Amino acid sequence: MRLGTAAAAATTVIGTGAAAVAAGRYASDMVLKPALDRPLPGDPRLTVHATGPGRITLTRSLASLRPGTYGLTGAGSHAVVGPLLDDVPHPADTVVRRLEGVTHGTLQPGARMRLTPQVHIGNPRDALGIDCADVDIPGELGALPAWFVPGIRDTWVITAHGLGTTREHPMVVMPFLADQQLPVLDLAYRNDIGAPPTADGISHLGDSEWRDLDAAIRYAVQYGAERVVLHGWSTGASMALRAAAGSALRDRIAGLVLDSPVLDWRATVRALAAARHVPRPLLPLAVRAAEGSTGLHAGRPAEAGAPDLLTVPTLLIHGPHDTLAPWAASRELAARRPDLITLHPVPHAPHAAMWNADPATYEETLRRFLTPLM
């Protein structure tokens, strides 16, 4: 049943006030329940028109015209696509991109696919040929699965994915981090596949999930890390900010890498609700219901990103084309702490896809930031 129909039916049966509450909760659950198959803003379905040696033809759209490297997923298949190939003849309503490889399944003409910043699937060993170990991190809700990539340095990088992705997403930077000989701990946290579920089953946009990241810091220190760098995407970046402010081991945190941080949770909830076709009149109700169910009240998100609570060097990578986590909030945070925050803008990149838009520049920026912290 579509949300608008459900809301109308509820209004008839139980009255306007109660129906508004019920519709708001329903809309909030649609937004906050983790679901990899639900769209994010600017995440349209694309049709595969043709494939050939090293290339794929897709529906022409703002999404398919994005520069860089992305995963292409859907219809039981996954592939990796690279830059646009402008010199290949194609119909005006299509684009041709380099096809880096088909990870699994087949790409048939007519298949409906979408681009995702999650380029790799599987684990670091199978996907990238990088040695790794499966480890369990003791968390407050139970064991948290993680991949550990060994390295010789005393500084560990702990990664946390964000909305619409899994711990496979941080694999985009693992070859770079492995080249720097940095140990990496790539975390799955509450409500992820294989991780403990919460009683409500919804995302708290980092407000409670950060405690799983805190557990990963304790694990890293227990097993030899002298310092840690927290690298988070989206809500994972919000988790990193909260851990830097609230962890009992925050003195071990040497730096933060924040990719597309969710700093204005209301704007993010509204954007998610709109992308998932919540009717416009219900958007304020969805935000209010999300506030009630998550405990994210007016002052709480600001606490995590409060400039006066930052004490470590921070690389903030974000861009003005992110329609899910407003760029303005990142720009304002960076302006208030220029002594600690380096802001690296990335144009033409959707949410949490700053690496995808320009991998070489992203990794060079990351190298310059990490070198003094190693």
Side-chain angles (χ1 to χ4, degrees), residues 55-78:
R55 64 181 185 267
I56 183 169
T57 305
L58 299 167
T59 305
R60 185 182 184 89
S61 72
L62 292 176
S64 62
L65 286 167
R66 292 169 185 157
T69 301
Y70 290 85
L72 184 69
T73 185
S77 302
H78 183 275

Side-chain angles (χ1 to χ4, degrees), residues 208-226:
S208 60
E209 292 87 351
W210 78 267
R211 294 194 291 273
D212 293 343
L213 188 55
D214 187 35
I217 298 171
R218 291 196 302 272
Y219 181 95
V221 169
Q222 180 182 353
Y223 285 94
E226 294 294 330

Side-chain angles (χ1 to χ4, degrees), residues 124 131-138 144-151 155-161 167 170-171 173-174 177 182-189 212-225 227-233:
D131 186 34
C132 69
D134 291 296
V135 300
D136 287 327
I137 297 171
L144 303 165
W147 290 314
F148 173 65
V149 176
T155 300
W156 290 29
V157 177
I158 303 177
T159 59
H161 70 87
R167 61 174 164 151
M171 283 199 285
V173 296
M174 279 189 188
L177 296 174
L182 288 160
V184 181
L185 195 59
D186 184 10
L187 176 70
Y189 51 85
D212 293 343
L213 188 55
D214 187 35
I217 298 171
R218 291 196 302 272
Y219 181 95
V221 169
Q222 180 182 353
Y223 285 94
R227 298 163 300 279
V228 300
V229 173
L230 306 181
H231 189 156
W233 290 255

Side-chain angles (χ1 to χ4, degrees), residues 229-252:
V229 173
L230 306 181
H231 189 156
W233 290 255
S234 179
T235 49
S238 305
M239 291 163 57
L241 278 167
R242 294 180 189 282
S247 173
L249 292 172
R250 57 186 174 272
D251 60 310
R252 298 295 191 104

Side-chain angles (χ1 to χ4, degrees), residues 255-271:
L256 305 177
V257 181
L258 310 177
D259 186 318
S260 314
V262 172
L263 300 175
D264 181 349
W265 70 268
R266 288 184 176 85
T268 296
V269 168
R270 285 193 294 268

